[in-house]
Amino acid sequence: RERAGWLCDSFFTARTEYCLTGKNVIEKSFLENFLREENYEGLPKGMLPMCYPSDHLTGEYIPNWALWLVIELEDFLKRNGDCVFVEQFQTKVERLLEWFMSFENEDGLLENLSGWIFVEWSKANELVQDVNYPTNMLYHAALLAAGRLYGRKDYIEKAERIKTMILQQSFDGTFFMDNAVRKDGVLTVTGEHTEVCQYYAFL
């Protein structure tokens, strides 16, 4: 449906490709595009394009989609066993996670993340600031994936701390709330619950 491949979409289409063909030839070709450039004009250092190959001269990027790339790499490895290919991404993944770490607040959660923060085409996308819990759930999953892929125990420990804080702040005993905002310097949950937030929590 697009003229170029989008991250996040690729996570799911790659699973379908494997189901249909028993291989991931198209996925590997798609992912190889992200290895071809060291930096991308118009994007912050460490950030990866939301859609590639394409130009991003307006400076627009979806940080969530870059996290999906990390998760997809682990999925790719499980299906294909291509350790050499996945290892080529290590530097890019580490630089990407360094970028995210610059947005961590005193609780270790991402706060006031820049870029086009995209959760889903729904009410959820009106609740992305100041602390968006679905995005932090995705950050948790990406850190776990990177930790397992590259033997980074520090990533795994950080992911567990993030999970603890999300459970303390977002879960109201029945459902997970989408976000919290700063009021007089205090982070306060909004009481908003979306369906997709629950999916991020479950998965």
Side-chain angles (χ1 to χ4, degrees):
R1 71 185 178 91
E2 307 282 4
R3 289 173 292 173
W6 288 74
L7 290 169
C8 182
D9 290 7
S10 62
F11 175 87
F12 299 98
T13 55
R15 287 185 168 191
T16 305
E17 180 193 8
Y18 188 81
C19 287
L20 293 174
T21 70
K23 300 177 182 178
N24 283 104
V25 176
I26 295 171
E27 179 192 26
K28 185 173 182 179
S29 179
F30 167 73
L31 291 174
E32 280 178 335
N33 289 317
F34 292 88
L35 291 173
R36 294 188 180 277
E37 299 292 336
E38 284 298 314
N39 297 292
Y40 302 92
E41 187 176 355
L43 299 185
K45 184 179 179 181
M47 181 49 58
L48 298 172
M50 56 192 174
C51 175
Y52 198 75
S54 58
D55 293 323
H56 300 85
L57 304 183
T58 62
E60 192 171 70
Y61 57 94
I62 303 176
N64 309 58
W65 272 202
L67 292 173
W68 276 104
L69 172 63
V70 182
I71 297 168
E72 182 175 350
L73 286 171
E74 186 174 39
D75 218 41
F76 174 88
L77 181 62
K78 289 175 183 176
R79 286 192 301 269
N80 300 281
D82 192 340
C83 297
V84 174
F85 181 68
V86 172
E87 285 170 2
Q88 292 178 62
F89 278 90
Q90 183 169 355
T91 300
K92 280 187 177 288
V93 168
E94 290 175 344
R95 287 176 180 169
L96 173 70
L97 294 176
E98 284 177 16
W99 182 87
F100 277 97
M101 288 174 196
S102 68
F103 290 91
E104 291 178 2
N105 65 13
E106 66 273 15
D107 297 323
L109 298 176
L110 299 174
E111 183 171 355
N112 292 324
L113 193 60
S114 67
W116 177 15
I117 305 167
F118 192 93
V119 177
E120 187 198 43
W121 287 117
S122 71
K123 172 74 173 179
N125 250 41
E126 299 174 17
L127 307 170
V128 295
Q129 295 292 3
D130 294 328
V131 172
N132 178 254
Y133 293 109
T135 298
N136 275 284
M137 293 168 188
L138 190 63
Y139 185 40
H140 162 265
L143 284 165
L144 284 180
R148 290 187 292 253
L149 286 173
Y150 304 118
R152 292 290 300 264
K153 185 179 178 182
D154 55 326
Y155 288 168
I156 293 173
E157 291 172 348
K158 179 185 286 286
E160 290 306 316
R161 291 194 296 272
I162 289 170
K163 179 179 179 179
T164 298
M165 296 310 301
I166 292 171
L167 288 168
Q168 288 179 5
Q169 296 179 18
S170 173
F171 190 59
D172 66 6
T174 305
F175 295 109
F176 287 86
M177 292 176 276
D178 278 66
N179 69 323
V181 296
R182 288 279 172 187
K183 294 183 178 179
D184 299 322
V186 179
L187 198 60
T188 307
V189 290
T190 62
E192 294 276 7
H193 306 80
T194 66
E195 182 179 358
V196 73
C197 180
Q198 315 316 308
Y199 298 152
Y200 274 86
F202 300 157
L203 297 175

